[in-house]
Amino acid sequence: MVFDFARTPAAEPQLPAGFFFVNWSPSLVDPHADVLHRSFRNDLDGTVFTTFRQYGHCRRLIELVSVNPHFLPAATLLIARNGADQKQEYVANIQGLKLSAEIGAIQNVAVLPEYRRQGIGQALVQGALQGFRQAGVCRVTLEATADNFPAAKLYHRIGFTTFRTYFREIFDWNP
Ligand SMILES: CC(C)(COP(=O)(O)OP(=O)(O)OC[C@H]1O[C@@H](n2cnc3c(N)ncnc32)[C@H](O)[C@@H]1OP(=O)(O)O)[C@@H](O)C(=O)NCCC(=O)NCCS
């Protein structure tokens, strides 16, 4: 799917009350990995991509993304809230890459199951789009599993369009 800033203006992210964005820092590898793991492990993409089922694999994934030469910290966010003891609780995350001067790519979009359907996923993607825009990106791509209807509906609602559907064989090395 692709979002084209020339065709669709990116809306300001609107987070529900009490939630706030946390910008990328290398000290946040663990919260990113934890949110990724807990969001995906029992969901469709956790079934398709076994990486998401183990915390250690999610942590390695975040480490690898963050040292990728195309990594874009401005489009890499956590969403948090202050818990009862004023400790930050992380509830959602997204990572971005700048593949070329004009093209950005969203890696993962994850909202913990208990925080879904409150507009957090939408604000998360829109927050990342702001980061891509500030980095001079014109178009942002992402891949979604065709059967992931919640994700597809979210992306269409934001303004992404589907430009290609393809079949990929998944090697299930850790069933
Ligand atoms: C996909 C995901 C990020 C959506 O997060 P979310 O916080 O629930 O999304 P929002 O509340 O911002 O939803 C915005 C809109 O997206 C659509 N949507 C989101 N979840 C939906 C669902 N389960 N069924 C139908 N539509 C859904 C709706 O249009 C929704 O607006 P509405 O609630 O006013 O109807 C979340 O379900 C998730 O983390 N899933 C597991 C990981 C995953 O599959 N990530 C995407 C990989 S490509």
Side-chain angles (χ1 to χ4, degrees):
M1 303 181 84
V2 63
F3 184 94
D4 186 343
F5 286 102
R7 293 174 55 171
T8 316
E12 283 284 315
Q14 303 281 343
L15 278 171
F19 293 89
F20 51 91
F21 286 109
V22 179
N23 293 324
W24 168 257
S25 138
S27 65
L28 294 172
V29 167
D30 280 313
H32 270 274
D34 181 56
V35 170
L36 197 61
H37 176 232
R38 291 198 284 143
S39 300
F40 277 86
R41 62 184 170 187
N42 295 323
D43 233 281
L44 174 69
D45 282 1
T47 312
V48 178
F49 303 102
T50 55
T51 298
F52 293 123
R53 285 189 228 147
Q54 291 191 32
Y55 174 78
H57 293 168
C58 290
R59 195 178 194 287
R60 187 75 186 124
L61 183 64
I62 297 294
E63 280 175 343
L64 289 173
V65 169
S66 69
V67 297
N68 185 308
H70 299 293
F71 180 59
L72 185 61
T76 299
L77 299 165
L78 281 156
I79 291 176
R81 66 191 279 270
N82 286 323
D85 54 0
Q86 290 304 303
K87 209 174 148 219
Q88 278 186 16
E89 287 174 5
Y90 299 102
V91 305
N93 73 346
I94 190 165
Q95 300 89 41
L97 301 176
K98 186 175 178 183
L99 300 179
S100 69
E102 296 197 344
I103 307 292
I106 289 173
Q107 282 301 289
N108 300 295
V109 180
V111 179
L112 293 182
E114 56 272 37
Y115 292 99
R116 291 179 190 166
R117 299 311 289 265
Q118 302 179 46
I120 291 176
Q122 183 168 328
L124 183 64
V125 176
Q126 289 170 335
L129 287 176
Q130 282 193 326
F132 282 115
R133 191 71 179 135
Q134 284 157 15
V137 163
C138 303
R139 290 188 299 282
V140 178
T141 65
L142 59 78
E143 288 186 3
T145 307
D147 285 350
N148 193 342
F149 299 116
K153 198 167 171 201
L154 167 66
Y155 301 141
H156 281 131
R157 185 179 161 129
I158 290 170
F160 283 81
T161 54
T162 303
F163 70 96
R164 189 174 55 160
T165 303
Y166 62 94
F167 294 90
R168 186 203 281 178
E169 198 162 345
I170 307 291
F171 175 54
D172 196 357
W173 55 276
N174 188 27

